[in-house]
């Protein structure tokens, strides 16, 4: 109760004395009460602390005051005066700990001095100082750099130093406290990602702790999971730790010892993490120590006012201020003439706080924090543009491929159309030739019939006259046989022109090839040797006359193609294809005709494979058309390929006639290719063949 009464008594006394508004005075009342408690136990705390420095005391003898100036023999402020003192209001330069020295500042002045406090916003400090022109400003030493940048020169009058500190330059710091029962929180590393309670944002207490985190190599602004600012270290931050709302609290140095001495916190209930106790401060601390607040004068401050203020601050407080004194003549804190500010400048610069906060505000993380929405929108827009560009490129690629395919299809259709027109032209030629062949065959039948009649008449006349000349009878038989053969050919031509095919019978390709060679020898003028490679037999089923016409056309074309070559020759071969080598598993016979004529161009080879255009300038393309028609009617496949070095190779593949099929077909009646049994074609041909025309294999 005595503490509460003293607390409110001090509140009322300060409000009447300094004339500040109630809301401005209320911010530091709790700090004043705590300092009163700390002051009542400071002497005991300092005496009990191990290796504690001696508590400095301010001399009270007049001789000590005489050391300040020759004019100090008189009492400061002999007449009533009003001091206008600027008070920084902003967490970037001044925190809640400044409320305490503001309230206790008047303890060092007599009743003749009244203090008028001027609020100086940290964001507009330079302009406010120039406009208000106070006599002094109460701020941390780091403010000198800001003032100098704005063209304002500050002169340090005095620096505050607590009774627990060895020097004013190492007077304040941070004690990071946790519940002693939480044994898992022993070091600062154990608190990474945990919840922390502090007084005000970027206060000296908070910045000193973050500087310790920075020294450990971590990112100080993202080390703790969450930092909760509760305006005051006691009771707010302490209550948050005791209640379990946070894992740790950042307290000003020596506050925990004061609370334990006063009985507000049970000793041993809270523990200082990584606590250090040395000769700089008689309390355990976690962070480094920094200078406390200082009083600064300006160029426009009157010299007598500076002198009297310095005398008052460097002298002991009045005896009436016993509320804050440990013992009469021994205050809980004092003022010294000088305190360096380099440590605070380094602290703010290293953490990019206070006057260097702009460094953090323009860092990539800070910019993203402020403009993250716009950055995300821009990134989404950029991503959409990239995706759209990829989509457009893909669409263009697909459309291009479609266009290329359409153009390729168009070119292919044009080629097919040209081939179809060429095929149609060939069909027209074949139709004309078929009509002409029918007409010619019809006209030839009458002369052939007359020839046979004349031959029969001659035979009758010879028999009547009794002429037995064998040569004449042989000649007449040959004339009749050849006339009969001509009649058969005419019938075949007419039947081919009318697309009527005769019955197919078992036959031997070897014999048919030999007959075709004899016909070629009788018809050609230029001799081109034909190299044969024939087996003993090559049984197939077909029309012997049509097959002979097929082979004759192939050999004749090959001979004409290679006639201009120096070593012109034609190769004719028959080879058996075993069922193992055939895709369909059937036995087949391959007829191959090869020449060594000149090399064909691509256009010439295309015309050759089309089968309707002749490669020769004077040709009509009918021979290959007949060959293809005969091959198709016999179920054979025909293929043209270029011969290395020049010439063409033609392969005609027939299905081989097996023995049982051949015997079955022999029992069935069929139309003979040579209708007259009187004179077989081969015999008649042999009879009129010139001497030396041997039908066997030849080179």
């Amino acid at each position: 109760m005595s503490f509460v009464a003293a607390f409110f008594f001090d509140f009322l006394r300060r409000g009447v004395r300094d004339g500040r508004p109630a809301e401005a005075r209320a911010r530091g009342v709790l700090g004043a009460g705590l300092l009163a408690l700390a002051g009542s136990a400071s002497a005991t705390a300092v005496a009990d602390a191990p290796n504690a420095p001696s508590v400095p005391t301010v001399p009270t003898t007049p001789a000590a005051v005489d050391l300040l100036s020759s004019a100090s023999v008189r009492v400061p402020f002999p007449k009533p005066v009003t001091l206008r003192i600027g008070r920084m209001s902003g967490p970037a330069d001044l925190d809640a700990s400044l409320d305490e020295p503001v309230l206790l500042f008047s303890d060092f002045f007599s009743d003749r001095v009244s203090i008028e406090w001027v609020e100086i916003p940290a964001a507009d400090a330079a302009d406010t100082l120039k406009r208000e022109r106070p006599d002094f400003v109460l701020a941390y030493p780091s403010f000198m750099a800001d003032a100098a940048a704005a063209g304002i020169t500050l002169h340090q009058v005095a620096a505050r130093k607590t009774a627990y500190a060895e020097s004013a330059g190492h007077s304040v710091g941070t004690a990071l406290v946790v519940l002693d029962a939480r044994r898992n929180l022993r070091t600062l590393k154990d608190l990474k990602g945990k919840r922390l309670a502090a007084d005000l944002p970027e206060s000296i207490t908070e910045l000193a702790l973050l500087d310790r985190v920075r020294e450990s190599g971590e990112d100080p602004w993202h080390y703790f999971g969450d930092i909760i600012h509760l305006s005051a270290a006691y009771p707010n931050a302490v209550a948050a730790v005791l209640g379990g709302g946070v894992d740790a609290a950042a307290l000003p140095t020596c506050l925990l010892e004061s609370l334990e001495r006063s009985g507000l916190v049970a000793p041993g209930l809270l523990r200082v993490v990584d606590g250090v106790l040395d000769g700089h401060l008689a309390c355990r601390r976690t962070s480094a120590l920094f200078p406390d607040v200082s009083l600064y004068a300006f160029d426009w401050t009157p010299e007598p006012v500076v002198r009297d203020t310095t005398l008052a601050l460097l002298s002991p407080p009045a005896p009436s201020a016993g509320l804050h004194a440990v013992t009469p003549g021994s205050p809980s804190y004092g003022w010294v003439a000088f305190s360096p500010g380099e440590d605070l400048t380094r602290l703010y610069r290293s953490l990019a706080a206070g006057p260097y906060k702009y460094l953090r505000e323009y860092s990539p993380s800070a910019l993203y924090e402020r403009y993250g929405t716009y950055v995300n929108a821009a990134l989404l827009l950029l991503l959409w543009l990239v995706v759209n560009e990829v989509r457009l490129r893909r669409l263009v690629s697909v459309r291009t491929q479609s266009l290329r395919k359409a153009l390729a299809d168009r070119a292919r259709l044009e080629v097919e159309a040209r081939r179809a027109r060429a095929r149609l032209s060939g069909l027209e030629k074949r139709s004309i030739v078929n009509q002409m062949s029918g007409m010619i065959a019809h006209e030839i039948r009458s002369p052939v019939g007359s020839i046979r009649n004349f031959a029969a008449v001659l035979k009758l006349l010879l028999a009547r006259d009794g002429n037995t000349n064998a040569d004449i009878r042989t000649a007449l038989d040959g004339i009749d046989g050849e006339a009969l053969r001509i009649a058969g050919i005419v019938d075949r031509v007419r039947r081919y022109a009318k697309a009527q095919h005769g019955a197919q019978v078992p036959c031997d390709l070897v014999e048919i090839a030999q007959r075709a060679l004899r016909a070629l020898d009788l018809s050609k003028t230029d001799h081109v040797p034909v190299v044969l490679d024939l087996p003993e037999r090559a049984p197939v089923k077909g029309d012997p006359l049509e097959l002979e016409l097929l082979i004759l056309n192939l050999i004749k074309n090959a001979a004409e193609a290679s006639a201009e070559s120096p070593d012109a020759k034609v190769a004719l071969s028959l080879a058996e294809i075993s069922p193992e080598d055939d895709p369909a598993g059937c036995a087949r016979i391959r007829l191959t005709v090869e020449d060594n004529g000149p090399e064909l161009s691509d256009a010439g080879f295309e015309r050759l494979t089309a089968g309707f255009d002749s490669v020769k300038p004077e040709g009509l393309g009918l021979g290959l058309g007949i060959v293809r028609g005969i091959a198709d009617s016999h179920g054979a496949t025909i293929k043209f390929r270029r011969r290395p070095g020049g010439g063409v190779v033609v392969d005609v593949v027939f299905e081989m006639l097996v023995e049982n099929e051949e015997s079955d077909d022999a029992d069935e009646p069929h139309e003979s290719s040579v209708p007259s049994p009187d004179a077989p074609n081969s015999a008649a041909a042999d009879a009129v063949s010139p001497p030396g025309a041997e039908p066997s294999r030849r080179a």
Side-chain angles (χ1 to χ4, degrees):
M1 295 297 294
S2 60
F3 166 70
V4 176
F7 184 88
F8 283 101
F9 171 76
D10 179 76
F11 173 77
L12 296 175
R13 183 170 64 85
R14 304 302 173 189
V16 173
R17 190 156 123 187
D18 56 27
R20 289 187 302 153
E23 61 270 19
R25 299 191 305 270
R27 288 181 297 180
V29 171
L30 184 59
L34 292 178
L35 186 59
L37 293 176
S40 63
S42 59
T44 306
V46 173
D48 294 344
N51 302 324
S54 59
V55 179
T57 58
V58 180
T60 58
T61 59
V65 178
D66 289 341
L67 296 176
L68 297 175
S69 68
S70 60
S72 63
V73 293
R74 64 180 180 84
V75 179
F77 301 108
K79 297 179 180 181
V81 65
T82 298
L83 297 180
R84 300 180 73 246
I85 301 177
R87 178 184 181 278
M88 302 299 299
S89 59
D93 295 286
L94 199 65
D95 58 67
S97 62
L98 191 55
D99 291 336
E100 176 192 334
V102 165
L103 289 177
L104 304 182
F105 188 75
S106 58
D107 287 349
F108 292 86
F109 296 95
S110 63
D111 295 336
R112 291 185 296 274
V113 179
S114 61
I115 299 176
E116 178 185 346
W117 296 99
V118 180
E119 296 291 333
I120 308 296
D124 194 24
D127 293 339
T128 304
L129 290 176
K130 292 178 181 179
R131 183 177 64 254
E132 298 291 340
R133 295 178 68 86
D135 298 318
F136 302 96
V137 64
L138 196 62
Y140 282 106
S142 60
F143 181 67
M144 293 186 66
D146 292 343
I152 300 175
T153 303
L154 298 181
H155 305 279
Q156 189 179 39
V157 175
R160 179 174 176 256
K161 183 183 79 68
T162 66
Y164 302 101
E166 180 183 20
S167 64
H170 301 84
S171 183
V172 294
T174 305
L176 183 62
V177 299
V178 297
L179 286 173
D180 186 65
R182 300 192 62 175
R183 295 299 178 179
N184 60 321
L185 304 178
R186 294 184 176 276
T187 63
L188 184 61
K189 293 182 178 180
D190 299 331
L191 288 170
K192 185 175 182 179
K194 305 295 184 181
R195 290 167 56 88
L196 174 71
D199 42 20
L200 288 177
E202 298 190 17
S203 64
I204 291 296
T205 304
E206 180 182 3
L207 293 180
L209 178 61
L210 295 182
D211 186 61
R212 172 65 187 279
V213 174
R214 181 193 61 80
E215 291 177 350
S216 66
E218 299 284 351
D219 181 8
W221 300 103
H222 300 89
Y223 186 78
F224 296 99
D226 188 17
I227 300 180
I228 303 175
H229 299 97
L230 302 175
S231 301
Y234 180 82
N236 299 350
V238 175
V241 176
L242 295 176
V246 295
D247 299 291
L251 304 181
T253 50
C254 298
L255 176 59
L256 177 61
E257 287 81 358
S258 298
L259 295 175
E260 291 178 347
R261 293 291 181 182
S262 62
L264 296 177
V265 176
L269 183 61
L270 297 177
R271 170 170 42 87
V272 179
V273 177
D274 291 342
V276 176
L277 184 64
D278 53 19
H280 293 293
L281 189 69
C283 306
R284 292 189 178 275
R285 57 185 173 86
T286 304
S287 69
L289 296 174
F290 299 92
D292 206 344
V293 295
S294 297
L295 185 70
Y296 296 95
F298 302 94
D299 290 340
W300 59 74
T301 307
E303 187 273 334
V305 174
V306 176
R307 180 195 60 197
D308 291 344
T309 302
T310 305
L311 288 173
L313 291 178
L314 297 183
S315 300
S320 60
L323 178 65
H324 305 296
V326 179
T327 58
S330 299
S332 60
Y333 69 93
W335 293 83
V336 296
F338 172 74
S339 175
E342 290 79 5
D343 290 343
L344 274 179
T345 302
R346 179 197 61 79
L347 175 67
Y348 287 127
R349 184 187 294 112
S350 61
L351 293 177
Y356 302 95
K357 189 176 182 179
Y358 68 91
L359 297 176
R360 182 158 46 92
E361 291 177 348
Y362 292 99
S363 64
S365 58
L367 291 175
Y368 181 79
E369 184 177 355
R370 289 200 303 271
Y371 306 106
T373 303
Y374 304 101
V375 171
N376 292 335
L379 291 177
L380 288 176
L381 178 60
L382 180 61
L383 179 61
W384 180 83
L385 291 176
V386 171
V387 172
N388 188 58
E389 180 68 18
V390 173
R391 184 185 66 85
L392 290 177
R393 289 180 178 272
R394 177 62 179 170
L395 183 60
V396 170
S397 177
V398 172
R399 295 292 175 84
T400 303
Q401 293 294 335
S402 300
L403 182 59
R404 289 177 180 173
K405 185 176 182 299
L407 293 176
D409 293 342
R410 180 179 177 181
R412 179 177 54 80
L413 292 176
E414 290 179 354
V415 172
E416 292 180 355
R418 287 197 300 269
R419 291 178 178 176
R421 288 193 297 269
R423 196 174 297 112
L424 181 60
S425 176
L427 292 175
E428 291 176 351
K429 293 179 182 179
R430 290 180 61 182
S431 177
I432 294 173
V433 172
N434 289 341
Q435 295 178 9
M436 294 177 63
S437 299
M439 295 172 58
I440 294 172
H442 178 72
E443 296 298 330
I444 290 178
R445 291 187 65 182
S446 296
V448 170
S450 299
I451 293 174
R452 294 194 65 192
N453 290 332
F454 287 135
V457 170
L458 288 176
K459 289 181 180 180
L460 292 175
L461 292 176
L462 289 176
R464 188 190 63 181
D465 296 338
N467 190 346
T468 58
N469 191 333
D471 294 335
I472 295 175
R473 184 169 293 277
T474 301
L476 290 175
D477 291 339
I479 291 173
D480 186 61
E482 290 300 321
L484 184 60
R485 186 168 181 270
I486 292 173
I489 294 174
V490 170
D491 290 340
R492 296 294 182 183
V493 170
R494 292 186 64 190
R495 197 161 50 242
Y496 180 78
K498 294 180 180 181
Q500 296 177 355
H501 301 282
Q504 296 182 357
V505 297
C507 55
D508 188 3
L509 280 180
V510 176
E511 296 179 359
I512 295 173
Q514 291 174 350
R515 287 202 300 269
L517 286 175
R518 287 196 296 268
L520 178 65
D521 290 337
L522 293 174
S523 63
K524 69 182 181 180
T525 56
D526 297 331
H527 179 72
V528 176
V530 179
V531 179
L532 298 179
D533 184 9
L534 303 177
E536 295 296 332
R537 289 183 73 248
V540 295
K541 187 176 182 180
D543 191 320
L545 186 59
E546 291 183 356
L547 294 177
E548 181 181 345
L549 184 60
L550 180 145
I551 297 175
L552 179 62
N553 272 281
L554 291 178
I555 298 175
K556 184 178 180 181
N557 288 338
E560 292 175 353
S562 59
E564 302 298 332
S565 300
D567 54 345
K569 65 179 179 178
V570 175
L572 173 64
S573 62
L574 287 171
E576 180 181 348
I577 302 176
S578 63
E580 292 78 9
D581 298 333
D582 184 70
C586 299
R588 300 182 185 275
I589 294 177
R590 180 189 293 113
L591 170 67
T592 303
V593 178
E594 179 180 354
D595 66 80
N596 60 350
E599 185 175 359
L600 290 178
S601 62
D602 294 338
F605 186 75
E606 183 178 0
R607 290 197 305 271
L608 178 65
T609 54
F612 297 109
D613 288 337
S614 176
V615 180
K616 296 175 290 184
E618 69 280 2
L620 296 176
L622 299 176
L624 292 178
I626 294 174
V627 168
R628 285 187 180 276
I630 295 174
D632 293 340
S633 65
H634 287 76
T637 59
I638 183 170
K639 182 178 180 182
F640 296 86
R641 50 192 174 93
R642 293 178 179 178
R643 178 179 176 274
V648 176
V649 179
V650 184
D651 293 324
V652 185
V653 179
F654 299 89
E655 185 175 352
M656 179 183 291
L657 181 65
V658 296
E659 295 298 333
N660 55 354
E661 293 179 355
E662 184 177 1
S663 60
D664 293 340
D665 293 336
D667 297 336
E668 297 178 359
H670 57 271
E671 180 184 357
S672 175
S673 298
V674 183
S676 176
D678 298 334
N681 294 341
S682 58
D686 293 340
V688 297
S689 296
E694 189 68 29
S696 61
R697 300 179 188 178
R698 57 197 176 89

